[in-house]
Amino acid sequence: MASLNVGNLGEYLREQRRNAQLSLRQLADAAGVSNPYLSQIERGLRKPSAEVLQQVAKALRISAETLYVRAGILDAERDRDEAETRAVILADPSLNERQKQVLLQIYESFRKENGFGTGEAAGPARDGDGAADLATGGGSGTAGGGDAAGSDTGAGRRRTAG
């Protein structure tokens, strides 16, 4: 069964490499892996580590999470939405690194509160509920809700004291 995932990964990598108009040697050099090793991955003979997949993804300018799913490192059904959301947050040029990390922490807090999205109650229809609570300062006591409310309250105290 693992060989099917690796084969699927290899086909996908070959397709992405060709779309990027890179030779096998060029991609291997850019990713910092050997040409024969990359060839074996593409042919489904080797299962690369997450680190190698990350290097290849960076060289191809594609999502590492996508490669992790193809390689069977991440469960496609359970983790696809989370990986895509994280990738979008990390790729947003309007946020600085600190803001991205805080947003990811809040996102993870809500996922935990909702049981990691495994139950029906945590489906897409409810995703906005926690965000609305956070925006209004009415969070349910999660770390994210408490931080947001604490920041506003602290700023208010400083204004009245000064």
Side-chain angles (χ1 to χ4, degrees), residues 142-153:
T142 63
D147 289 344
S151 297
D152 292 343
T153 305

Side-chain angles (χ1 to χ4, degrees), residues 2-125:
S3 62
L4 291 176
N5 286 340
V6 175
N8 187 19
L9 170 67
E11 292 169 15
Y12 181 76
L13 280 177
R14 182 178 297 119
E15 178 183 324
Q16 294 302 310
R17 178 177 58 79
R18 288 180 178 162
N19 288 341
Q21 298 180 339
L22 293 172
S23 70
L24 191 63
R25 185 177 307 271
Q26 288 171 323
L27 179 56
D29 288 344
V33 298
S34 74
N35 190 30
Y37 182 61
L38 186 57
S39 174
Q40 290 173 346
I41 294 170
E42 280 194 0
R43 291 182 284 142
L45 302 175
R46 294 278 184 148
K47 183 174 182 178
S49 67
E51 182 179 323
V52 168
L53 288 175
Q54 185 175 20
Q55 291 171 259
V56 171
K58 185 176 179 182
L60 287 171
R61 297 183 180 172
I62 62 174
S63 165
E65 286 83 5
T66 300
L67 296 184
Y68 297 158
V69 169
R70 297 257 179 186
I73 294 171
L74 289 178
D75 178 26
E77 295 300 317
R78 192 185 75 202
D79 296 329
R80 182 182 305 125
D81 290 340
E82 180 185 2
E84 288 175 3
T85 301
R86 288 177 181 277
V88 168
I89 291 169
L90 292 171
D92 189 333
S94 67
L95 300 174
N96 66 38
E97 289 305 312
R98 183 184 160 278
Q99 290 168 332
K100 291 176 184 180
Q101 292 307 313
V102 170
L103 190 53
L104 287 172
Q105 289 172 353
I106 292 169
Y107 173 68
E108 186 61 32
S109 171
F110 286 140
R111 285 185 50 82
K112 286 180 183 176
E113 182 178 303
N114 293 335
F116 291 98
T118 56
E120 287 181 25

